[in-house]
Amino acid sequence: MRSWVFTLVRLGPSFAYALAAAFLLSMLLLAQFPSSAIAWSLYMTILPVVREPAFLLLDGIGLEAAVAALLTAAALGIPLAARPDRYVRSRFVHAHVALIASMFGVVRASSAQAGLTGLSLPELLSGDWSLLPLSVPALWVVLFLLVAGACLSSHAGIIARIRRR
Protein backbone atom coordinates (compact mmCIF):
# COMPACT_ATOMS: atom_id res chain seq x y z
CA MET A 1 0.00 0.00 0.00
CA ARG A 2 2.78 2.40 0.92
CA SER A 3 4.61 1.76 -2.34
CA TRP A 4 1.44 2.43 -4.32
CA VAL A 5 0.87 5.75 -2.55
CA PHE A 6 4.49 6.85 -3.17
CA THR A 7 4.16 5.93 -6.83
CA LEU A 8 0.96 7.97 -7.05
CA VAL A 9 2.71 10.96 -5.47
CA ARG A 10 5.66 10.59 -7.84
CA LEU A 11 3.14 10.69 -10.72
CA GLY A 12 2.01 14.17 -9.61
CA PRO A 13 4.05 16.04 -12.25
CA SER A 14 2.65 13.75 -14.95
CA PHE A 15 -0.85 14.65 -13.77
CA ALA A 16 0.07 18.34 -14.00
CA TYR A 17 1.38 17.98 -17.55
CA ALA A 18 -1.64 15.90 -18.58
CA LEU A 19 -4.00 18.47 -17.07
CA ALA A 20 -2.33 21.24 -19.07
CA ALA A 21 -2.68 19.13 -22.22
CA ALA A 22 -6.36 18.52 -21.40
CA PHE A 23 -6.81 22.29 -21.03
CA LEU A 24 -5.35 22.91 -24.49
CA LEU A 25 -7.48 20.12 -25.94
CA SER A 26 -10.56 21.62 -24.29
CA MET A 27 -9.82 24.80 -26.23
CA LEU A 28 -9.97 22.74 -29.42
CA LEU A 29 -13.28 21.24 -28.26
CA LEU A 30 -14.67 24.72 -27.70
CA ALA A 31 -13.57 25.76 -31.18
CA GLN A 32 -15.37 22.77 -32.71
CA PHE A 33 -18.42 22.66 -30.41
CA PRO A 34 -18.95 26.14 -28.91
CA SER A 35 -22.38 25.29 -27.49
CA SER A 36 -21.29 22.09 -25.71
CA ALA A 37 -21.86 22.27 -21.96
CA ILE A 38 -19.29 19.51 -21.37
CA ALA A 39 -16.59 21.39 -23.30
CA TRP A 40 -17.31 24.59 -21.37
CA SER A 41 -17.35 22.74 -18.06
CA LEU A 42 -13.99 21.12 -18.79
CA TYR A 43 -12.49 24.41 -19.94
CA MET A 44 -13.76 26.46 -16.99
CA THR A 45 -12.72 23.83 -14.43
CA ILE A 46 -9.12 23.64 -15.65
CA LEU A 47 -8.73 27.33 -16.62
CA PRO A 48 -7.75 28.77 -13.22
CA VAL A 49 -5.28 25.96 -12.58
CA VAL A 50 -3.07 26.01 -15.68
CA ARG A 51 -4.02 29.20 -17.53
CA GLU A 52 -0.73 31.10 -17.43
CA PRO A 53 1.78 28.28 -18.06
CA ALA A 54 -0.35 26.82 -20.86
CA PHE A 55 -0.83 30.19 -22.56
CA LEU A 56 2.89 30.95 -22.34
CA LEU A 57 3.69 27.59 -23.90
CA LEU A 58 0.97 28.12 -26.47
CA ASP A 59 2.35 31.54 -27.38
CA GLY A 60 5.86 30.18 -27.76
CA ILE A 61 5.41 27.02 -29.84
CA GLY A 62 1.81 26.76 -31.03
CA LEU A 63 -1.10 24.52 -30.13
CA GLU A 64 -0.11 21.23 -31.74
CA ALA A 65 3.47 21.36 -30.51
CA ALA A 66 2.36 22.41 -27.01
CA VAL A 67 -0.09 19.50 -26.73
CA ALA A 68 2.56 17.09 -28.04
CA ALA A 69 5.19 18.41 -25.62
CA LEU A 70 2.85 18.22 -22.63
CA LEU A 71 1.68 14.71 -23.46
CA THR A 72 5.29 13.62 -23.97
CA ALA A 73 6.26 15.09 -20.60
CA ALA A 74 3.29 13.34 -18.96
CA ALA A 75 4.22 10.01 -20.54
CA LEU A 76 7.87 10.48 -19.62
CA GLY A 77 6.89 10.76 -15.97
CA ILE A 78 5.49 7.23 -15.85
CA PRO A 79 8.85 5.40 -16.03
CA LEU A 80 10.36 8.06 -13.77
CA ALA A 81 7.74 7.27 -11.12
CA ALA A 82 7.93 3.51 -11.61
CA ARG A 83 11.72 3.32 -11.23
CA PRO A 84 12.61 6.15 -8.83
CA ASP A 85 16.10 4.90 -7.97
CA ARG A 86 17.20 4.69 -11.57
CA TYR A 87 16.30 8.19 -12.79
CA VAL A 88 16.99 10.43 -9.81
CA ARG A 89 18.16 13.58 -11.63
CA SER A 90 15.56 13.34 -14.39
CA ARG A 91 12.81 12.90 -11.80
CA PHE A 92 14.12 15.97 -9.96
CA VAL A 93 13.97 18.15 -13.08
CA HIS A 94 10.61 16.73 -14.17
CA ALA A 95 9.01 17.45 -10.79
CA HIS A 96 10.50 20.89 -10.29
CA VAL A 97 9.52 22.19 -13.73
CA ALA A 98 5.94 21.18 -12.93
CA LEU A 99 6.17 22.84 -9.50
CA ILE A 100 7.50 26.10 -10.90
CA ALA A 101 4.85 26.15 -13.61
CA SER A 102 2.04 25.51 -11.13
CA MET A 103 3.32 28.18 -8.76
CA PHE A 104 3.65 30.64 -11.63
CA GLY A 105 0.12 29.89 -12.72
CA VAL A 106 -1.53 30.47 -9.36
CA VAL A 107 0.50 33.60 -8.56
CA ARG A 108 -0.39 35.17 -11.90
CA ALA A 109 -4.03 34.11 -11.59
CA SER A 110 -4.41 35.54 -8.10
CA SER A 111 -2.78 38.84 -9.05
CA ALA A 112 -4.98 39.23 -12.12
CA GLN A 113 -8.34 38.81 -10.41
CA ALA A 114 -10.94 41.34 -11.41
CA GLY A 115 -11.90 42.56 -7.98
CA LEU A 116 -13.57 41.62 -4.76
CA THR A 117 -17.22 40.80 -5.27
CA GLY A 118 -19.53 40.85 -2.30
CA LEU A 119 -17.39 43.14 -0.14
CA SER A 120 -18.09 46.78 0.55
CA LEU A 121 -15.54 49.51 1.01
CA PRO A 122 -16.11 49.93 4.79
CA GLU A 123 -15.40 46.22 5.34
CA LEU A 124 -12.12 46.53 3.46
CA LEU A 125 -11.08 49.73 5.20
CA SER A 126 -11.66 48.28 8.66
CA GLY A 127 -8.88 45.79 8.02
CA ASP A 128 -10.89 42.59 8.38
CA TRP A 129 -9.22 40.49 5.71
CA SER A 130 -10.81 37.27 6.92
CA LEU A 131 -13.82 38.01 4.71
CA LEU A 132 -11.82 37.58 1.53
CA PRO A 133 -12.91 34.52 -0.42
CA LEU A 134 -10.39 31.77 -1.18
CA SER A 135 -9.03 32.60 -4.62
CA VAL A 136 -7.21 29.31 -5.14
CA PRO A 137 -9.28 26.49 -6.65
CA ALA A 138 -9.35 23.12 -4.90
CA LEU A 139 -8.06 21.37 -8.02
CA TRP A 140 -4.91 23.48 -7.88
CA VAL A 141 -4.41 22.69 -4.19
CA VAL A 142 -4.60 18.94 -4.85
CA LEU A 143 -2.31 19.23 -7.87
CA PHE A 144 0.16 21.39 -5.94
CA LEU A 145 0.28 18.92 -3.06
CA LEU A 146 0.96 16.04 -5.46
CA VAL A 147 3.69 17.94 -7.31
CA ALA A 148 5.26 19.21 -4.08
CA GLY A 149 5.22 15.65 -2.76
CA ALA A 150 7.01 14.51 -5.91
CA CYS A 151 9.61 17.23 -5.37
CA LEU A 152 10.12 16.12 -1.77
CA SER A 153 10.41 12.55 -2.95
CA SER A 154 13.08 13.51 -5.48
CA HIS A 155 15.01 15.40 -2.79
CA ALA A 156 14.79 12.37 -0.49
CA GLY A 157 16.06 10.14 -3.31
CA ILE A 158 19.02 12.41 -3.94
CA ILE A 159 19.89 12.58 -0.24
CA ALA A 160 19.61 8.79 0.08
CA ARG A 161 21.88 8.35 -2.93
CA ILE A 162 24.47 10.73 -1.42
CA ARG A 163 24.38 8.83 1.89
CA ARG A 164 24.94 5.49 0.14
CA ARG A 165 28.15 6.72 -1.48
Side-chain angles (χ1 to χ4, degrees):
M1 176 73 177
R2 183 177 168 198
S3 171
W4 184 81
V5 170
F6 283 144
T7 302
L8 182 68
V9 168
R10 286 191 300 265
L11 281 173
S14 291
F15 293 142
Y17 295 127
L19 190 68
F23 172 69
L24 295 178
L25 291 173
S26 73
M27 290 171 51
L28 284 176
L29 278 174
L30 281 177
Q32 294 296 318
F33 309 105
S35 64
S36 171
I38 294 172
W40 275 106
S41 175
L42 180 66
Y43 177 79
M44 294 305 289
T45 301
I46 303 173
L47 178 70
V49 179
V50 294
R51 169 187 24 217
E52 289 296 323
F55 284 162
L56 282 175
L57 189 62
L58 193 69
D59 188 38
I61 61 175
L63 184 64
E64 293 85 8
V67 170
L70 289 169
L71 289 176
T72 302
L76 185 69
I78 295 170
L80 295 177
R83 303 275 314 251
D85 294 335
R86 184 174 175 140
Y87 308 107
V88 177
R89 291 183 186 126
S90 299
R91 193 166 51 102
F92 179 86
V93 171
H94 189 257
H96 283 78
V97 167
L99 182 71
I100 291 169
S102 67
M103 287 302 299
F104 178 69
V106 79
V107 167
R108 293 282 296 186
S110 65
S111 67
Q113 285 185 340
L116 304 172
T117 59
L119 294 177
S120 65
L121 188 59
E123 289 174 341
L124 288 176
L125 292 178
S126 70
D128 185 14
W129 294 97
S130 64
L131 297 174
L132 292 176
L134 182 64
S135 63
V136 178
L139 178 62
W140 180 85
V141 172
V142 169
L143 191 68
F144 175 75
L145 290 175
L146 279 174
V147 173
C151 289
L152 287 174
S153 173
S154 68
H155 283 280
I158 289 172
I159 291 170
R161 190 178 216 189
I162 291 171
R163 285 187 177 169
R164 280 192 300 247
R165 288 184 182 181

